[in-house]
Every structure is written in structure tokens, then in C-alpha cells.
Amino acid sequence: MKAISGIPASYGIAIGPAFIFDRVEMVIETYSIDDSAAEWARFEAAQVETRRQLDEAYQVTVEDCGEEAAEIFNAQKLMLDDPELISGVKTAVENDKVNVESALYKTSEAFASQLEAIEDEYLSARALDIRDVSSRCLRNLIGLNDSPAAGLKTPSIIVSNDLTPSDTILLDKELVLGFCTALGGSTSHTAILARGLGTPAVVGAGDQVKQINNGDNLIIDGDSGQIIIDPDQKTMDEQSVRM
């Protein structure tokens, strides 16, 4: 039995097997292009599909958590159309003649890094939103539609380095007992959505979360921020009473 301390993000106790949520990492290549107009048309098509997906996530969130929480995805749509972001991508495509995937990745990552550097938990957490929406658009450009939750078949506690708003809201709620992440804070959108869903969550638990394996029995305490790996029977009994 091992205990890890994190940040309490959503109240409640969850007991169950761990499900490691791990996305396939995108490989963004940079190459020269000849037809910048055709490349820009690809970006605009990816934007359209990304907006459609964000609208879908918005509707799901309204049904599950209410309109206030769902505004996360309207905010992401605004980020997707941010004039500075668009200008940076367009300059790279038209002037530097590089592919739009590379242009979008480098421009959005520069924006996210600037926010992340701000010593304000709320503002720095918005870096995750930028990465979430740019990642969604990049996956549409590349045609990468991997589903990290494809193997989620039984009720489990989701364990991840971090979860984007899209990841959090589009998981099958009937199979999610709780959330446990290495990164994040109490004002992160994952925390906000977990509270809206009424799902116990512990975030910001650090690299020790990476020691958790698929199927490990876990207890997460969204009140105290404690995570217990492979609890003994006495601890299981004590925590079960609190549920």
C-alpha cells in the first residue's frame, strides 16, 4: 500500500481499478510547401471540423454539467479564431512557406508557453485550453483520431498526466469512477468539469502518479487529495464506509 498526496479537486471517494489514459503523441513534421493557398484551405477545413467537435462537446457539457461549465468550449472556439493566432499561422504559411501543421503547432505552443509562465494559477491553466484546441485542430489536419479511452470497458478511475476539457467531458460517464492526474490545479477545467459531473477527482499529484499501472486498485479521496495505491483490506473497509 502506498499513499500519494495531490490537490483535492472534486469531493467524494472513489474506489476501483486504474485505467491509464495516454494519448498517442503526435509527430509534427516541418516541410516546405509550394501552394500556400491550398495549404491555407486545409487549415480552414480543419477549423470547420474543430468548431463542429467543440459544438458537440458544448452540448454534452450542457446536458451533464450545465451551461456555465459548457462555456469552456465556447471559449476554445474563440481561441481557435484568435486574430493573433491566425496571423501567426498565416505568416508562417504564406511568407515562410511551411506546412500549416508546423505553423499551427509552433504558434500555439508559443502562446501557451507565455501563459504558462505567468504566476497566476487561473491564467497559466488556460495554456491547457490553447493546447487542447490546437491539438484537436492538428489531429483533424493529420487525420489522427486515436481514442485513448477505447479500452475502457469497466468502471475505473482515470489516471493521466493531465486531462484536457475535451478528454474529461467526452469519456463514458457510466465507466468513470474518478479522476487522478499528475498535473493541474483546483481551478483547471478538468477540476471544474469533474465537480460539475459530481465525480471525485485529485489533481496535481506529481510524477508519482506515473507509478500507477493499469488495473492497480486505487482509492482517491477528493476531500483530502489523497491517492492510495493497492490499499489493504482495513483501509478499503474504512473508506467504503465514507462513500
Side-chain angles (χ1 to χ4, degrees), residues 27-54:
V27 177
I28 306 299
E29 298 180 350
T30 301
Y31 55 86
S32 298
I33 59 164
D34 296 320
D35 190 343
S36 57
E39 197 70 6
W40 192 249
R42 290 181 59 231
F43 178 60
E44 291 180 323
Q47 279 185 302
V48 169
E49 176 59 14
T50 302
R51 290 189 197 101
R52 185 197 66 77
Q53 292 169 346
L54 290 171

Side-chain angles (χ1 to χ4, degrees), residues 2-6 20 159-161 180-183 204-213 216 218 227 229:
K2 179 176 182 178
I4 300 172
S5 293
I20 307 301
V159 179
S160 180
N161 186 55
C180 165
T181 66
L183 303 178
D207 286 343
Q208 291 185 86
V209 166
K210 296 175 184 177
Q211 299 174 15
I212 300 172
N213 299 308
D216 282 354
L218 299 181
I227 303 159
I229 307 170

Side-chain angles (χ1 to χ4, degrees), residues 30-187:
T30 301
Y31 55 86
S32 298
I33 59 164
D34 296 320
D35 190 343
S36 57
E39 197 70 6
W40 192 249
R42 290 181 59 231
F43 178 60
E44 291 180 323
Q47 279 185 302
V48 169
E49 176 59 14
T50 302
R51 290 189 197 101
R52 185 197 66 77
Q53 292 169 346
L54 290 171
D55 285 338
E56 179 185 357
Y58 176 88
Q59 291 301 327
V60 171
T61 309
V62 167
E63 293 170 10
D64 289 346
C65 304
E67 290 186 6
E68 185 175 353
E71 282 302 312
I72 291 167
F73 297 103
N74 280 340
Q76 286 196 356
K77 284 172 69 176
L78 292 175
M79 290 177 182
L80 182 66
D81 295 322
D82 181 86
E84 288 189 48
L85 177 71
I86 299 300
S87 176
V89 176
K90 198 162 193 175
T91 297
V93 170
E94 294 184 347
N95 296 354
D96 301 337
K97 297 294 184 181
V98 298
N99 58 307
V100 72
E101 293 92 342
S102 176
L104 175 58
Y105 175 76
K106 289 178 180 177
T107 304
S108 61
E109 188 58 31
F111 278 36
S113 295
Q114 289 173 9
L115 282 175
E116 218 166 32
I118 299 172
E119 292 186 6
D120 180 284
E121 184 183 358
Y122 179 82
L123 288 177
S124 61
R126 301 295 74 77
L128 181 62
D129 280 313
I130 292 176
R131 290 191 173 111
D132 188 18
V133 72
S134 65
S135 175
R136 181 182 287 278
C137 194
L138 284 166
R139 288 174 188 277
N140 287 327
L141 279 164
I142 296 170
L144 181 62
N145 295 310
D146 64 300
S147 176
L152 182 60
K153 306 297 184 185
T154 59
S156 303
I157 294 172
I158 306 301
V159 179
S160 180
N161 186 55
D162 205 358
L163 288 167
T164 68
S166 301
D167 293 334
T168 307
I169 202 64
L170 296 177
L171 285 163
D172 186 339
K173 311 307 177 298
E174 293 185 1
L175 298 179
V176 177
L177 300 174
F179 297 107
C180 165
T181 66
L183 303 178
S186 59
T187 63

